[in-house]
Structure formats: C-alpha cells, structure tokens
Amino acid sequence: MAEDNTVFIGKKPTMNYVLAVVTQFNRGSNDVVIKARGKSISRAVDVEQVVKNRFVLDSKTTQIVTSTERLKREDGSDTNVSSIEISMKREIKEQKQEQKN
Amino acid sequence: MAEDNTVFIGKKPTMNYVLAVVTQFNRGSNDVVIKARGKSISRAVDVEQVVKNRFVLDSKTTQIVTSTERLKREDGSDTNVSSIEISMKREIKEQKQEQKN
C-alpha cells in the first residue's frame, strides 16, 4: 500500500480528516491508514469511528498498531511520544466474489 | 477474564494508571485490559506503551478494539463518544512451557 493512502491526524476539526479518509476511499483506494501521535490519537479513533459508522458503511478496521516514537524537543533533548496506526479496508463485495472464482 | 483486571483511564496523570496496570500484573494477573473513552484514549495508549517498554517488559498487547458509545448529556440529549479497549498479556515463559506439555 502506498503512502498516498495514509491520512495523518493533526489538530484540525475531526470532520476535516473524516473527509480526507472518505475521499481516499471514493478515489478507489481499498485500504486507508490513519496515523496519529500524542494527543491526536483520540481524534484518530473518532475519525475511524465516524467513517465506519456514518460515511463508508462497507469499511472495517483491519489492524490497530501502537508504538512509541522518539522525538527531539526544541531544546535538543529527546522525548517519547505514543503513536497509533489504524488500518481500514473497504469491503467491495462484487470484486471479492470475482477474486474468489 | 474478570472485570477486576480492567483499568479505566480518566484524567489523572499517566503514571497513576501505569502503576494500576503494573500492580494488576504483580498480583498475578496474566491479562489486563485498559479502557478509555474520548480524550482519555491518547492517555490509554501512553499507559500501554510505558507499561510495555519500561515496567513489564515481558508483556505484550494482544488486541486493540475501538467502538462508539452513546452517552446522555446533562441536558438529556444523546451524544456519541469513541472508546478503546487495549488487552495486554504477560508472557510467563515457564508457565507457557508447562502448558505445552
């Protein structure tokens, strides 16, 4: 899966990122990855839930991976920040049946 | 797994919840579940990462499940809030080998 399918969650309103994910799916991506760090992790889960429950009803979450990233502070010292990667997949039924044959 | 093994994440400092999870493991629980809603979801991931990387090095994350819960606001109207459940397991090697025999 290309990096193009990744939506990075920042501090903008949740619906901005929901729109970004929905747009990815509508452009034909079957997989979208939502990534976030630190306090934006909560918003990443909001985005995933809103996409799944309200906009792309045939999508589902295939994997959630958490990790810790080491970042440099402005003063040069290191700090740890948690991160999350939520992988979503769209279930395209027609295509799935074709693949089975 | 009993509800006793569940640590609910609120608005206290991260280390309070880290201590709660570590205590569960030290009391002999092989499984601990970390639950959080809304903005506390980010802290739940912090807790999981700190426990795994610094305090209980033989623990690992076995499952992460997200969902949406319907809550009542103070004025009686409904609102949706995202939630997360992080399941952690301690790998006790000796015990594992015994179970295999």
Side-chain angles (χ1 to χ4, degrees):
Chain A
M1 207 205 51
E3 275 295 302
D4 296 337
N5 299 340
T6 301
V7 174
F8 291 94
I9 308 297
K11 293 175 190 299
K12 290 178 193 167
T14 301
M15 290 310 290
N16 292 34
Y17 303 107
V18 169
L19 183 67
V21 174
V22 172
T23 303
Q24 283 293 340
F25 277 127
N26 287 345
R27 275 189 193 149
S29 300
N30 287 345
D31 301 274
V32 176
V33 179
I34 300 168
K35 289 189 186 184
R37 286 199 292 220
K39 288 193 197 300
S40 299
I41 288 174
S42 308
R43 191 170 295 117
V45 175
D46 288 342
V47 170
E48 178 239 278
Q49 289 293 314
V50 172
V51 168
K52 206 162 64 173
N53 296 333
R54 281 204 256 157
F55 291 95
V56 188
L57 302 181
D58 55 355
S59 68
K60 61 174 191 173
T61 306
T62 52
Q63 196 180 39
I64 301 178
V65 178
T66 56
S67 58
T68 299
E69 294 180 21
R70 205 154 185 60
L71 296 182
K72 281 245 179 277
R73 284 205 199 86
E74 284 184 14
D75 66 4
S77 65
D78 282 342
T79 181
N80 289 325
V81 63
S82 302
S83 67
I84 199 167
E85 271 190 47
I86 304 175
S87 302
M88 297 185 76
K89 197 178 194 66
R90 185 172 207 167
E91 291 286 329
I92 299 174
K93 280 166 196 170
E94 294 76 17
Q95 198 176 322
K96 220 178 158 187
Q97 286 175 337
E98 279 173 15
Q99 284 171 345
K100 275 184 187 170
N101 294 337
Chain B
M1 207 206 53
E3 275 294 300
D4 296 336
N5 298 339
T6 302
V7 174
F8 291 94
I9 308 298
K11 292 174 191 298
K12 291 178 192 167
T14 301
M15 290 310 289
N16 292 33
Y17 303 107
V18 169
L19 183 67
V21 174
V22 172
T23 302
Q24 283 292 340
F25 277 127
N26 287 346
R27 276 188 192 150
S29 300
N30 287 343
D31 300 275
V32 177
V33 179
I34 300 169
K35 290 189 186 184
R37 286 199 292 219
K39 287 194 197 304
S40 299
I41 289 175
S42 308
R43 191 169 298 115
V45 175
D46 288 343
V47 170
E48 178 240 80
Q49 289 293 314
V50 172
V51 167
K52 205 162 66 173
N53 296 332
R54 282 204 257 158
F55 291 95
V56 188
L57 301 181
D58 55 354
S59 68
K60 61 174 191 175
T61 306
T62 52
Q63 195 178 39
I64 302 178
V65 178
T66 56
S67 58
T68 299
E69 295 180 20
R70 205 151 187 62
L71 295 183
K72 281 245 178 279
R73 284 205 199 88
E74 284 185 13
D75 66 5
S77 65
D78 282 343
T79 182
N80 290 325
V81 63
S82 302
S83 67
I84 199 167
E85 273 190 45
I86 304 175
S87 301
M88 299 187 72
K89 196 178 194 64
R90 185 171 208 167
E91 291 286 328
I92 298 174
K93 280 168 196 169
E94 293 76 17
Q95 198 176 322
K96 219 178 157 188
Q97 286 175 336
E98 279 173 15
Q99 285 171 344
K100 275 184 187 169
N101 294 336

